Amino acid sequence: MSTEPSKLPPSREKLAFAQRLRQAMLAAGYDDKPAVLEREFNTRHWGKPMTLHGVRRWLRGETLPSQDKLRTLAEWLRLTPQELQFGRDPVHRVESSRNRWDADLGYQDRELFEAFLKLPVPQRKVVREVILAFTLAERSRQGKADKS
């Protein structure tokens, strides 16, 4: 008598991960809902996007994310991948506030990033394209200035 893998009850490891993920989302100021997780994850992950069904399975403790997705989740929630996957270990806790990329940003830039992150995904893609176009134009202008 064989049981399909999808019909097996969630393991303790998967359930514990789901609980840590939910707690981390709440601690970071987000609702622990699949739609929120899907949106926030897909705005940060550069690989294949997750579906609502896929992230719901994480939150239910039915599946675990791959290592690259775990890293994306951990960065977003300001945890180490090990903390998210296995729980807190106070002796080996990594300080997430150290060496932050945005440590030197001013208030207006931080406000801009917050506004950007609140935009729907299609609008964020347009903004990214505009920024990249300006970056390429500036590089081209600097290249011409260096030749003069």
Side-chain angles (χ1 to χ4, degrees), residues 34-55 58 69 72-73 76 116-117 119-122 124-125 128:
V36 173
L37 178 54
E38 177 196 27
R39 179 189 70 228
E40 296 300 327
F41 176 83
N42 286 335
T43 61
R44 292 165 173 82
H45 188 69
W46 292 100
K48 183 178 177 186
M50 286 296 296
T51 63
L52 187 60
H53 178 71
V55 298
W58 290 347
K69 291 178 177 156
T72 300
L73 289 168
W76 164 46
F116 171 79
L117 292 173
L119 291 173
V121 173
R124 278 195 306 267
K125 287 182 180 180
R128 275 190 212 107

Side-chain angles (χ1 to χ4, degrees), residues 81-141:
Q82 294 78 14
E83 280 179 305
L84 190 55
Q85 187 170 11
F86 303 113
R88 292 189 187 271
D89 181 358
V91 175
H92 296 102
R93 181 163 166 74
V94 174
E95 294 296 325
S96 63
S97 61
R98 217 178 325 154
N99 297 327
R100 288 190 37 164
W101 66 271
D102 62 346
D104 295 330
L105 290 180
Y107 174 76
Q108 289 178 330
D109 289 332
R110 286 181 191 274
E111 194 174 66
L112 179 66
F113 280 110
E114 291 293 325
F116 171 79
L117 292 173
K118 290 178 184 175
L119 291 173
V121 173
Q123 290 178 356
R124 278 195 306 267
K125 287 182 180 180
V126 170
V127 172
R128 275 190 212 107
E129 292 298 321
V130 169
I131 291 170
L132 290 174
F134 275 112
T135 303
L136 288 173
E138 180 62 18
R139 283 184 193 156
S140 175
R141 187 190 65 75

